[in-house]
Amino acid sequence: MFNIFTKQTKKKLGEEKTINFSKDGDIPKHIAIIMDGNGRWAQKRRLPRIAGHKEGMNNVKKITTYASKLGVKVLTLYAFSTENWKRPSNEVDFLMKLPVDFFGVFVPELVKENVKVNVMGYTEHLPKHTQKAVENAIKETKNNTGMILNFALNYGSRAEILTAVNDLLNEVKQGNFTEEVDEDMFSNYLMTASLGKELQDPDLLIRTSGEERISNFLLWQIAYSELYFTESYWPDFSLAHLEEAIGSYQKRQRRFGGLKIEGEASK
Ligand code: FPP
């Protein structure tokens, strides 16, 4: 299956591991990441939690650039959930300023890399300065045709599904709609709809920091995603870790509820 099969020994991953990762192998078209562990990364260094978020933001730049170079089509990053408003106000304020800092510096590089910014979530509830930074990044990168960098900002999957149901109900009330709702049609009412049918569901979902839960992220869309959990805190999640996650994905056999096709080379 692989043209070139690189075996790399990565000592930096904590323990020595052999990673079977191929740049010419099956690169997931859509990778989604729950970027967890910023706070613990900071605590471990006796730094305030916000220092972890700042380092996390810097890591977004590195991972975005590498994912784009690998040929990933969509990188969805869970940056702020509808539940994160419960955090102390200084932390929320800091998180709301991150897109301003991030896009303020990184947009020219995104343009150079042909990356297009997209944002999903209830952005109308974000502070004005955050909304402006996001709108500007979307505008500046709108003609780019490469990887879509899809930020989930004030996003929650249950809310997203309820919004879709209510939008559908309104269509029914207005008499615009009489057919039965099928999966494709329902997907068109979700916040990932603009990514198109081929790309709206992640192939690979990564969660950092050792926690193994989904935390209200893309509940509909990850029905058949491959899940990958790593102990690494998000600020420590390196290019080698990304290779390791993709390497793990490349070994898996996706059956989507069907059976392995006889004679098909196993991964
Ligand atoms: C979870 O870690 C992380 C977040 C809630 C914020 C994630 C945000 C970034 C990585 C920066 C995003 C950058 C841009 C450009 C918007 P946590 O704080 O829950 O960590 P903990 O579980 O160790 O406390």
Side-chain angles (χ1 to χ4, degrees):
M1 178 117 208
F2 303 120
N3 301 334
I4 300 166
F5 202 66
T6 54
K7 282 198 172 179
Q8 299 167 353
T9 304
K10 301 285 178 189
K11 289 185 183 151
K12 281 174 82 183
L13 300 181
E15 61 195 84
E16 204 166 287
K17 275 185 186 162
T18 301
I19 303 166
N20 295 320
F21 158 74
S22 170
K23 283 187 181 176
D24 298 320
D26 185 9
I27 300 292
K29 288 196 287 286
H30 183 168
I31 299 180
I33 309 184
I34 302 175
M35 307 180 288
D36 196 12
N38 292 347
R40 278 165 285 164
W41 181 93
Q43 271 164 349
K44 220 174 85 182
R45 289 162 178 76
R46 298 181 195 282
L47 295 169
R49 290 178 55 80
I50 56 171
H53 294 313
K54 184 155 185 257
E55 197 62 23
M57 178 192 78
N58 290 331
N59 205 33
V60 169
K61 295 180 190 169
K62 280 200 309 211
I63 295 295
T64 298
T65 308
Y66 193 47
S68 160
K69 292 200 188 305
L70 286 176
V72 172
K73 306 278 184 226
V74 179
L75 179 66
T76 297
L77 301 176
Y78 204 5
F80 193 89
S81 78
T82 44
E83 287 73 37
N84 285 151
W85 297 106
K86 295 177 198 154
R87 295 188 176 209
S89 63
N90 73 317
E91 185 169 339
V92 170
D93 291 349
F94 190 84
L95 286 169
M96 286 300 139
K97 224 184 131 259
L98 281 183
V100 181
D101 297 345
F102 177 81
F103 291 126
V105 174
F106 199 43
V107 160
E109 215 170 303
L110 292 173
V111 171
K112 210 168 83 196
E113 195 59 46
N114 198 21
V115 169
K116 183 175 177 163
V117 174
N118 189 57
V119 174
M120 59 175 200
Y122 297 90
T123 50
E124 65 278 17
H125 299 132
L126 299 173
K128 284 280 171 278
H129 59 274
T130 317
Q131 288 189 37
K132 237 175 112 190
V134 161
E135 281 160 16
N136 186 54
I138 292 171
K139 199 173 104 207
E140 295 282 317
T141 61
K142 74 174 194 304
N143 295 323
N144 292 352
T145 54
M147 188 180 84
I148 297 172
L149 175 59
N150 185 33
F151 276 104
L153 261 179
N154 196 22
Y155 171 86
S157 189
R158 287 186 171 183
E160 175 194 35
I161 290 169
L162 282 179
T163 301
V165 169
N166 284 311
D167 287 350
L168 273 161
L169 277 176
N170 279 335
E171 298 272 7
V172 173
K173 274 187 215 151
Q174 285 166 29
N176 296 335
F177 199 82
T178 46
E179 315 127 72
E180 262 187 26
V181 178
D182 63 15
E183 290 189 7
D184 281 350
M185 189 175 293
F186 191 72
S187 295
N188 286 337
Y189 282 80
L190 296 175
M191 291 174 177
T192 38
S194 68
L195 300 171
K197 187 169 158 48
E198 283 299 306
L199 293 175
Q200 59 199 357
D201 297 341
D203 301 293
L204 174 64
L205 171 71
I206 299 170
R207 183 174 188 143
T208 60
S209 92
E211 309 289 354
E212 299 189 357
R213 57 176 171 267
I214 303 301
S215 301
N216 203 13
F217 192 42
L218 300 172
L219 299 177
W220 172 275
Q221 295 89 336
I222 60 163
Y224 283 104
S225 303
E226 296 297 326
L227 307 183
Y228 183 86
F229 300 101
T230 169
E231 292 292 320
S232 165
Y233 295 145
W234 171 250
D236 290 329
F237 185 80
S238 62
L239 307 187
H241 286 102
L242 181 62
E243 289 183 354
E244 193 187 35
I246 298 175
S248 166
Y249 172 86
Q250 289 176 336
K251 280 207 294 259
R252 302 185 193 187
Q253 191 195 50
R254 302 184 76 193
R255 294 193 295 274
F256 300 94
L259 297 176
K260 181 182 172 222
I261 300 162
E262 278 309 317
E264 190 187 73
S266 64
K267 285 188 188 175

